[in-house]
DNA sequence: CCCTGGACCTACAGCTTGTAGGCAAACGCC
DNA sequence: GGCGTTTGCCTACAAGCTGTAGGTCCAGGG
């Protein structure tokens, strides 16, 4: 793109850090300008507008999550890999709440086609291969898994689980186990569905 | 609790309608003031601030969702009830995208203790009773179910499922079936967990 | 008949996003 | 070295948002 993509990346990086430190809502052009030591207007040389900035962070974070998941499932398969994938995401969400919150934004088509997003889907697919599903079911199973993991973490972050944190850890284990059972018993006969 | 709680409720109601029409982000004090035909400052007589307004909408919506779910599971049990619960929430999210988006906000303690929230948990419990889980597992199973359903709808709304909508319907059915299998095979022996 | 409280108002301070136009240093090129 | 173009930052400003302060007007109760 530009002749100085370093700067664009640096700005997005700073925004991610800001989000982790002060919360997702703290990502504003003004705050970010204060952060990097320039006037708000100057940032518009590097970023189209606030929405584009957030999309940039979104893409960055997808890549980071993919990285973490890759490390979490390396050398594992089956239930082990499933746990690795889940745990990697949960750890990430816990350590980077601001970054994680950015993922809740609707993904733009561009973001959905980004390297990180594709890598993440591929990694999920590779975990699911351990369950020997019919090829046509892979996409459905991926969505199911993504829904459960993301949904759990969203509810956990939103503190919908009241204040009984000891139980949350157990709930998380149960969810992973439940996921495992559901995947292991996935229907193998692909009946037609209009 | 003022002498005219009608007005507070009416304002919150209007905000919910605004959200459905123009999107969650359109809930601003200014826009709402335009909507109900007063000056922005006047709204502060009825609502403490923007955050309180959103919390009010959150609470309202929880009640509405509970209502919809109650209707969806009435007279059903087991998998039928599960489908009723899921379908009710999915329909609600589809018909009221703005309202639904408000639920993504972290719930305040007050909201978590609201009548609608409690009702919703109770209804979920009642669906799970059909699966004859040990009492101590109910809370974990509820979280699992909530995570999957909410997670799926969140991903669907965020259009993470690309543009292949025909498949989405199938994915949804698979998810409900998977949920059913996971619940039906839930561990009955409550092994201790540190 | 007054006077108190509620709902609305205007005015304003302070913050935000985003645009326009200017200045100055650095870089490539002759 | 001289020269122009690019680049990164700046100031200035328009417009919109939140939230506070203080005033007006009306209805209902003592």
């Amino acid at each position: 793109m530009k002749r100085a993509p370093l700067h664009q990346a640096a700005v997005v990086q700073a925004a991610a850090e800001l989000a982790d430190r002060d919360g997702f809502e703290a990502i504003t052009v003004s705050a970010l300008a204060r952060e990097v030591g320039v006037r708000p207007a100057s940032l518009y040389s590097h970023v189209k507008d606030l929405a584009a900035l957030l999309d940039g962070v979104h893409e960055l974070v997808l890549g980071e999550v993919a990285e973490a998941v890759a490390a979490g499932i390396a050398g594992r398969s089956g239930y082990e890999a499933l746990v690795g994938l889940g745990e990697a995401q949960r750890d990430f969400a816990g350590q980077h709440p601001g970054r994680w919150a950015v993922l809740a934004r609707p993904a733009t088509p561009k973001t959905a086609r980004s390297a990180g997003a594709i890598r993440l889907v591929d990694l999920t697919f590779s975990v699911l291969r351990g369950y020997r599903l019919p090829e046509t079911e892979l996409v459905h199973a991926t969505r199911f898994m993504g829904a459960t993991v993301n949904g759990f973490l969203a509810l956990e972050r939103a503190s919908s689980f009241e204040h009984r944190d000891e139980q949350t850890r157990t709930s998380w284990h149960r969810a992973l186990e439940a996921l495992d059972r559901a995947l292991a018993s996935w229907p193998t006969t692909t009946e037609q569905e209009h």
Side-chain angles (χ1 to χ4, degrees), chain A:
Chain A
M1 323 289 189
K2 297 286 145 356
R3 288 245 280 82
L6 318 162
H7 282 233
Q8 211 266 7
V11 166
V12 168
Q13 181 83 25
E17 239 100 89
L18 180 63
D20 279 342
R21 206 185 57 216
D22 297 350
F24 164 68
E25 311 217 320
I27 303 187
T28 68
V29 175
S30 302
L32 184 55
R34 279 191 292 274
E35 193 72 9
V36 301
V38 299
R39 297 304 174 122
S42 304
L43 285 183
Y44 288 91
S45 307
H46 308 295
V47 164
K48 186 179 158 291
D49 59 17
L50 179 58
L53 172 65
L54 291 171
D55 289 341
V57 177
H58 193 148
E59 202 170 313
L60 168 71
V61 173
L62 279 177
E64 292 178 348
V65 171
E67 205 63 38
V69 166
I73 67 177
R76 306 179 199 222
S77 67
Y79 181 60
E80 295 262 301
L82 180 67
V83 170
L85 179 143
E87 221 66 65
Q89 296 199 49
R90 192 160 116 106
D91 287 349
F92 188 96
Q95 280 162 29
H96 303 289
R99 279 169 156 90
W100 188 259
V102 172
L103 296 184
R105 281 173 53 84
T108 63
K110 178 171 173 300
T111 303
R113 268 183 275 106
S114 72
I118 291 172
R119 178 124 189 262
L120 203 44
V121 171
D122 283 350
L123 289 167
T124 309
F125 265 58
S126 78
V127 169
L128 289 180
R129 294 214 186 272
Y131 290 92
R132 322 213 149 279
L133 309 179
E135 201 64 21
T136 58
E137 290 298 309
L138 272 179
V139 60
H140 304 307
T142 302
R143 289 169 175 180
F144 172 65
M145 201 163 108
T148 302
V149 172
N150 283 285
F152 191 97
L153 297 179
L155 292 182
E156 185 180 10
R157 303 263 109 227
S159 62
S160 299
F161 295 166
E162 293 128 299
H163 315 296
R164 326 166 80 194
D165 279 318
E166 355 70 58
Q167 290 218 4
T168 299
R169 180 108 215 129
T170 306
S171 294
W172 172 245
H173 285 152
R174 290 285 187 284
L176 288 178
E177 290 161 5
L179 217 40
D180 181 60
R181 292 195 304 279
L183 291 171
S185 62
W186 204 269
T188 53
T189 65
T190 315
E191 68 268 32
Q192 205 61 26
E193 195 144 352
H194 52 274

